[in-house]
Amino acid sequence: MKQVTDYPEIQTERLRLRRVRLSDAPAMLIYMSDDDTVRWLSGIRKQTITEITQSIRDYFWHDEPGTMKYAIADLKTDELMGTIDFRYHSDQNDAEIGYVLTPQQRGNGYVSEAVKALLHIGFTELAMNVIWIGHDQDNVRSRRIPQRLGFHSEGVDSQSHQIWTLTKNQYLAMQ
């Protein structure tokens, strides 16, 4: 049976989802030092390349079973624009998607394109039942992604995160 780790790189029309590299640190510093971006993340604002490099080693290079942590990179230039995680939960046969994008790249549909690619793999290749997205309930930008892609609101959890789900049947009905 295939697993998400069988997909170390995914290509879309405009993007390459790939492993994060140390050479991505300068581009990552742009959004990890941006107060408006960092406030939605569970991390702490980073101010130096050294801090970003350590984050890459500690988080992006720390493999977790059933999880892929991708760089969202421009297909033509390979420049990092953000990151997207795909976390498979085998006990529920579901997955969570989380994402962040550089402020300058927002509003161009890049995250929607990356999420669509992961939905395709999750539902058609990995036979998952549900894929979900959670975001801070006040994060309007993140809310637009699941709304646009046909996810259904499940309400707010105990950590004030809005939870959105999409089932395999709902996904297939939209294709």
Side-chain angles (χ1 to χ4, degrees):
M1 181 171 178
K2 289 186 179 182
Q3 297 181 21
V4 68
T5 52
D6 293 328
Y7 299 89
E9 188 169 295
I10 301 166
Q11 186 172 307
T12 70
E13 183 179 327
R14 302 178 296 166
L15 306 173
R16 180 182 327 282
L17 306 184
R18 59 164 172 75
R19 297 286 276 187
V20 175
R21 305 175 186 138
L22 289 178
S23 60
D24 293 323
M28 191 176 285
L29 182 61
I30 293 169
Y31 66 83
M32 290 302 294
S33 64
D34 177 65
D35 288 329
D36 189 46
T37 301
V38 173
R39 75 181 183 142
W40 305 117
L41 303 174
S42 57
I44 298 171
R45 185 174 180 255
K46 308 293 186 217
Q47 298 183 44
T48 67
I49 293 293
T50 302
E51 290 176 313
I52 293 295
T53 301
Q54 194 60 48
S55 291
I56 292 171
R57 287 187 176 112
D58 292 346
Y59 179 75
F60 291 100
W61 290 3
H62 175 76
D63 291 332
E64 300 170 35
T67 297
M68 285 299 295
K69 302 166 189 172
Y70 295 101
I72 301 172
D74 181 279
L75 183 60
K76 293 178 183 172
T77 66
D78 205 36
E79 179 184 346
L80 179 98
M81 296 188 288
T83 59
I84 189 165
D85 294 356
F86 192 84
R87 297 181 187 100
Y88 175 62
H89 308 112
S90 59
D91 57 331
Q92 302 284 335
N93 195 32
D94 72 356
E96 174 186 8
I97 295 175
Y99 43 80
V100 62
L101 200 65
T102 301
Q104 299 87 329
Q105 301 296 344
R106 293 179 188 147
N108 294 306
Y110 295 128
V111 172
S112 292
E113 188 173 325
V115 170
K116 284 179 187 178
L118 293 176
L119 291 174
H120 174 77
I121 289 170
F123 288 130
T124 65
E125 302 292 324
L126 305 178
M128 293 182 178
N129 294 326
V130 177
I131 296 177
W132 59 278
I133 293 172
H135 62 81
D136 187 288
Q137 65 181 345
D138 295 326
N139 189 339
V140 175
R141 286 187 190 120
S142 282
R143 179 183 314 142
R144 291 182 185 134
I145 304 301
Q147 286 176 327
R148 188 177 304 122
L149 297 179
F151 282 70
H152 299 272
S153 174
E154 300 296 332
V156 178
D157 70 10
S158 62
Q159 298 175 325
S160 297
H161 291 125
Q162 178 72 43
I163 305 300
W164 300 85
T165 61
L166 187 66
T167 67
K168 182 176 185 173
N169 289 338
Q170 291 165 336
Y171 173 78
L172 293 174
M174 293 187 295
Q175 301 308 302

